[in-house]
Amino acid sequence: MASLAPETQVKPVLLAPVALPPLLRIGLDTVVRRHACRVALAPAVSPRSPDVAIFEPSSLHDRAADAVLSCPSIALSFDTSPWGLRRARSLGADEVLPVSVDPAELVAAIERLARRRDEPAAGGSDPAPLPGALSGREHEIVCLICDGLSNSEISQRLYLSINSVKTYIRSAYLKMGVTSRSQAVLWGVEHGCSRLSD
């Protein structure tokens, strides 16, 4: 079988393990080694941001949540009950898979999410969304981020659960085309987010 020329070879999907217990991490390392031409683990420091994040919902903490919010994500969940699925989705998971998932199915899900990220939005491919593309609640939360509030402070200020705040932030990040809190602040300043009156 002829190999592809270097310039036409497809880069593997860059996968960021965010909050995985040690045994799940070992299993993921094994899957990635077996499918190295399709998936690669993101190094701690990399010029390229990850294409997909993967986490276990009960292990996710606030600092790790920003990494999940910054790109499409998969939750590997021990709890596949309806409540467990809702919880994983509220933490920002685009897909929820049981920890017992078949490795080939996991790799296919990772590739599917990476492709979805690269597809232009329906109705056009405008790279710079207008402020009006954010919902009222998303705009309000971005303004509070610009004011320097943490997720917990936003949750208290708006009487929302921390999971709802994270979901709104993730949705806003996708619409704004940003992948970090600092980028969200820059976007917010450029698009007129100002301090909300108390």
Side-chain angles (χ1 to χ4, degrees), residues 54-106:
I54 190 164
F55 68 98
E56 194 282 308
S58 65
S59 301
L60 193 66
H61 52 82
D62 278 344
R63 270 195 276 160
D66 274 348
V68 171
L69 291 169
S70 70
C71 61
S73 63
I74 293 175
L76 285 179
S77 183
F78 288 101
D79 182 0
T80 55
S81 69
W83 183 88
L85 296 175
R86 279 195 306 274
R87 182 173 187 281
R89 293 264 187 213
S90 73
L91 293 171
D94 294 286
E95 291 205 26
V96 184
L97 300 171
V99 294
S100 60
V101 66
D102 179 75
E105 186 179 337
L106 175 60

Side-chain angles (χ1 to χ4, degrees), residues 129-143:
L130 298 172
L134 298 180
S135 71
R137 181 65 87 182
E138 289 165 349
H139 185 266
E140 184 176 23
I141 288 174
V142 170
C143 289

